[in-house]
Amino acid sequence: MTRRTGKGRRPLRIFLVAGARPNFMKVAPLMRAFQARPDRFDPVLVHTGQHYDAAMSDVFFKELEIRKPDLHLGVGSGSHAVQTGKIMEAFEKVLTGDRPDWVVVVGDVNSTLACSIVAAKMSPPVRVAHVEAGLRSGDRTMPEEVNRIVTDALADLLFTTSPDADRNLLAEGVDRRRIHRVGNVMIDTLRRFVKRSDQADTLRRLGVAPPYGLLTLHRPSNVDDVEALRRVMRAIGEIASDLPILFPVHPRTLDRLRADLGWGEASGQDGRVRLLEPLGYLDFLHLQKRAALVLTDSGGVQEETTILGVPCLTLRDNTERPITVSRGTNRLVGSDTAAIVAAARGILRRPRPRRRSVPLWDGRAAARIAAVLMLR
Ligand code: UD1
Ligand code: UDP
């Protein structure tokens, strides 16, 4: 056996896990940082298959120059228990055959939770590093909140994006020495690719000119609750009378719009709400940067609009990313029709906010993570 420390050190074998759309932007810079130091890292990219449509997965590998997954677990969709269970079963087989030094998980999706539990319960345990640790919405009805709490409770290393995350972890009794504030890997990707997205011909292809608004919606609390979905879409219809709205639709939401609101292939509201397929990263970034207003219930989009200096209305009552409100351009508006419309009209009347910076969201988070792992 080769020694891991000292002169005869072998590279750290790292299983890096990705499963769903927001994971791909986060693993891209990490893979790049690991691959840049083959003397120190031997990364294995594991795709659980939680997201599988080309527009929810493959496109990001191509655009963000991520190599093909080394392992694909192919689990697909299912209820929380079914999906989490399938990932656990498949990932346990992987870890039984090939024991890495670290399992690195990102974000808060079911793939994050499932792989952390499996690693922590191997005998002996495989160490877990959680990238984007410590975020808390305080709302346990949100499936991601459960994923965050359990993953952080199991992780040996907790990489955070903001001081509030550090405070949340300390309040939960996490040993300070395990917490490393490194910045935001999702913003590493934004900074790397924003120039390329400037060159995309997205608006021309869509035949759209500013001003326009951009909407994304996929949280179960908004789309699986038919009344909430109706309230939000009524608000969007009203805003669309002032401002055309582009709406790349998440597959979960498309199902609900069709089944519960009877929306067809074409858009509602006289074509002023334009339904689109889920977009690739470069097209979506192109649209975000030029939008007069973004309306969303996404986690990542709250952060990206903060860095782009684009006003964002978050269609939720809480956020696990409070720094996007205190230092950024984000505002929580919930799902009440009148509140959403009033907030949107207020933004359209005001000059665009100044771009604000967030400490350490500087494009170097993945390099900092690699540096910490090297010392372990
Ligand atoms: C998941 C994450 C959520 C994240 C979101 C990002 C969990 C608990 N949720 O939510 O945190 O914000 O991804 O987009 O992990 N579907 C397809 N094609 C796909 C993927 C999904 O048609 O490629 C449809 C299926 O009908 C599926 C539904 O979308 O049942 C939901 O997918 P799932 O991965 O369970 O949750 P998301 O809502 O995507
Ligand atoms: N995104 C994208 N195409 C879209 C919608 C979103 O590329 O049509 C990107 C967005 O820029 C961000 C990420 O997807 O980088 C956010 O993922 P999502 O909203 O699905 O998940 P969340 O962040 O809410 O977990």
Side-chain angles (χ1 to χ4, degrees):
M1 195 176 130
T2 25
R3 279 151 46 84
R4 253 205 41 239
T5 52
K7 278 205 170 142
R9 158 197 305 132
R10 66 171 170 79
L12 281 175
R13 191 157 171 81
I14 293 190
F15 281 16
L16 178 60
V17 176
R21 177 167 67 187
N23 295 164
F24 306 130
M25 300 77 191
K26 297 171 194 172
V27 299
L30 289 168
M31 276 305 280
R32 195 166 293 113
F34 295 152
Q35 287 175 278
R37 290 298 305 267
D39 55 325
R40 304 301 300 267
F41 296 108
D42 173 18
V44 174
L45 182 58
V46 182
H47 190 326
T48 65
Q50 177 172 346
H51 284 177
Y52 42 84
D53 288 348
M56 297 296 286
S57 175
D58 294 2
V59 64
F60 303 106
F61 283 76
K62 288 190 201 102
E63 289 187 342
L64 306 180
E65 297 163 350
I66 312 170
R67 78 179 186 209
K68 283 209 163 59
D70 301 292
L71 296 168
H72 200 298
L73 308 183
V75 296
S77 301
S79 68
H80 285 277
V82 166
Q83 188 175 62
T84 308
K86 277 189 182 167
I87 300 170
M88 287 178 67
E89 237 181 296
F91 194 58
E92 187 181 54
K93 287 200 183 94
V94 170
L95 286 192
T96 304
D98 182 358
R99 224 191 120 78
D101 299 298
W102 286 95
V103 167
V104 177
V105 295
V106 299
D108 56 15
V109 303
N110 284 346
S111 303
T112 314
L113 169 75
C115 294
S116 304
I117 296 179
V118 171
K121 296 188 87 174
M122 294 302 288
S123 178
V126 175
R127 291 179 297 175
V128 175
H130 185 204
V131 176
E132 207 183 74
L135 298 182
R136 298 288 181 270
S137 66
D139 174 6
R140 288 201 185 187
T141 65
M142 187 181 188
E144 294 79 3
E145 184 77 351
V146 176
N147 295 348
R148 294 178 197 121
I149 292 169
V150 177
T151 303
D152 287 342
L154 298 175
D156 299 276
L157 268 181
L158 299 107
F159 292 112
T160 60
T161 52
S162 51
D164 55 281
D166 298 12
R167 285 194 293 273
N168 293 334
L169 293 170
L170 292 171
E172 289 171 19
V174 175
D175 182 341
R176 185 181 293 279
R177 287 168 299 187
R178 291 196 286 151
I179 304 170
H180 296 265
R181 178 130 45 89
V182 290
N184 191 325
V185 285
M186 192 160 222
I187 302 304
D188 287 7
T189 292
L190 183 148
R191 293 196 186 280
R192 185 177 182 91
F193 287 96
V194 71
K195 282 215 180 78
R196 205 171 295 176
S197 88
D198 285 339
Q199 286 150 20
D201 62 350
T202 321
L203 284 172
R204 196 185 53 72
R205 252 180 26 243
L206 293 172
V208 176
Y212 60 86
L214 181 63
L215 168 69
T216 80
L217 203 60
H218 68 274
R219 296 259 96 86
S221 59
N222 278 328
V223 306
D224 292 359
D225 171 346
V226 60
E227 284 316 315
L229 184 61
R230 222 188 288 280
R231 284 197 302 275
V232 169
M233 293 319 301
R234 205 175 289 135
I236 298 303
E238 285 191 37
I239 298 165
S241 63
D242 299 329
L243 184 75
I245 302 286
L246 299 176
F247 182 15
V249 190
H250 188 287
R252 166 183 218 115
T253 310
L254 188 61
D255 285 349
R256 304 289 21 117
L257 287 172
R258 285 181 174 151
D260 295 340
L261 301 195
W263 284 36
E265 289 296 337
S267 54
Q269 281 84 23
D270 304 326
R272 290 184 64 84
V273 180
R274 173 110 169 251
L275 302 198
L276 305 167
E277 300 280 320
L279 293 169
Y281 184 79
L282 299 176
D283 279 335
F284 190 74
L285 186 53
H286 189 92
L287 294 183
Q288 268 195 99
K289 191 174 164 186
R290 290 157 182 80
L293 165 66
V294 171
L295 300 117
T296 193
D297 58 11
S298 160
V301 172
Q302 295 173 56
E303 297 180 341
E304 291 170 343
T305 46
T306 280
I307 294 305
L308 294 169
V310 173
C312 177
L313 291 180
T314 292
L315 309 172
R316 291 171 46 190
D317 296 322
N318 50 58
T319 181
E320 62 289 336
R321 293 162 160 92
I323 202 161
T324 62
V325 176
S326 60
R327 291 196 67 113
T329 55
N330 189 19
R331 187 167 148 204
L332 299 178
V333 283
S335 65
D336 176 71
T337 307
I340 299 169
V341 173
R345 295 210 163 123
I347 284 172
L348 295 178
R349 277 194 303 268
R350 279 194 294 274
R352 206 176 162 97
R354 271 188 309 120
R355 198 185 310 183
R356 310 274 294 278
S357 69
V358 180
L360 297 177
W361 292 19
D362 57 0
R364 295 203 293 273
R368 293 189 191 99
I369 290 170
V372 173
L373 285 168
M374 272 191 228
L375 294 175
R376 294 284 164 152

